[in-house]
């Protein structure tokens, strides 16, 4: 059975060490939340905001994110492996040592980001913008690293 959460305000909530599988979140606000070592596996996030979140060691693997904003968040060793990310915004994020492998990422912004050793290999990166970011420190298919 899937849990559905609609228009919930989780602003500044501490989700550290929380576990959720197959949850559906629609139009929820996670702004300034602490999402460290939280696991949201195979979840769906539609039109949710994660503004200025602390997401250390977070796992959102095999999830769907559509129309979500992560603007200004810190993603350190975060795992998005196998996720589908569409029409979303990661602008002004610090994304270090994170895993976006085997993802389908479309129409999404990674603008003005610090990308350090973040892995995008084996991912579909259609209509992605890395404007004002330094993707040289990230890993992509065919870069020999």
């Amino acid at each position: 059975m899937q849990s559905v959460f609609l228009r919930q305000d989780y602003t500044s909530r501490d989700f550290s060490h929380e576990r959720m599988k197959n949850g559906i979140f629609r139009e929820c606000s996670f702004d300034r939340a602490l999402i460290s070592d939280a696991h949201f596996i195979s979840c769906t996030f539609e039109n949710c905001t994660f503004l200025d979140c602390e997401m250390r060691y977070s796992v959102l693997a095999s999830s769907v994110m559509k129309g979500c904003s992560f603007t200004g968040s810190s993603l350190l060793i975060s795992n998005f492996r196998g996720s589908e990310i569409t029409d979303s915004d990661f602008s002004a994020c610090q994304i270090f040592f994170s895993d976006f492998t085997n993802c389908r990422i479309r129409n999404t912004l990674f603008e003005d980001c610090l990308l350090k050793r973040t892995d995008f290999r084996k991912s579909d990166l259609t209509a992605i913008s890395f404007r004002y970011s330094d993707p040289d420190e990230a890993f992509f298919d065919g870069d020999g690293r």
Side-chain angles (χ1 to χ4, degrees):
M1 182 173 177
Q2 293 180 322
S3 298
V4 179
F5 306 91
L6 180 61
R7 292 188 204 95
Q8 297 296 306
D9 185 358
Y10 299 117
T11 299
S12 300
R13 179 169 170 193
D14 186 349
F15 283 94
S16 297
H17 311 290
E18 297 254 350
R19 302 293 184 258
M20 167 72 70
K21 190 168 186 178
N22 300 316
I24 299 172
F25 298 86
R26 292 189 177 117
E27 299 176 28
C28 294
S29 171
F30 295 86
D31 301 347
R32 294 176 303 285
L34 181 61
I35 308 176
S36 293
D37 196 31
H39 292 210
F40 292 92
I41 308 295
S42 300
C43 289
T44 298
F45 299 90
E46 295 176 358
N47 301 310
C48 294
T49 60
F50 296 83
L51 307 178
D52 299 313
C53 288
E54 182 68 37
M55 300 177 75
R56 294 174 184 250
Y57 307 102
S58 58
V59 178
L60 288 93
S62 301
S63 292
V64 174
M65 282 145 259
K66 185 174 183 180
C68 293
S69 178
F70 292 82
T71 303
S73 292
S74 177
L75 289 74
L76 175 64
I77 312 175
S78 294
N79 179 350
F80 289 83
R81 184 180 304 139
S83 291
E84 182 175 327
I85 304 168
T86 307
D87 301 320
S88 294
D89 188 354
F90 288 83
S91 293
C93 286
Q94 295 181 20
I95 308 175
F96 297 163
F97 304 97
S98 293
D99 186 351
F100 288 87
T101 58
N102 296 303
C103 287
R104 182 177 177 199
I105 308 174
R106 295 176 172 230
N107 301 313
T108 295
L109 304 176
F110 287 90
E111 297 182 347
D112 197 26
C113 289
L114 296 173
L115 300 168
K116 185 156 182 97
R117 304 195 61 83
T118 294
D119 197 344
F120 291 96
R121 290 181 284 203
K122 298 182 182 174
S123 291
D124 173 0
L125 304 174
T126 302
I128 304 303
S129 174
F130 288 103
R131 189 174 64 180
Y132 306 121
S133 297
D134 185 4
D136 290 341
E137 297 232 15
F139 301 114
F140 299 93
D141 288 329
D143 68 7
R145 290 185 271 179

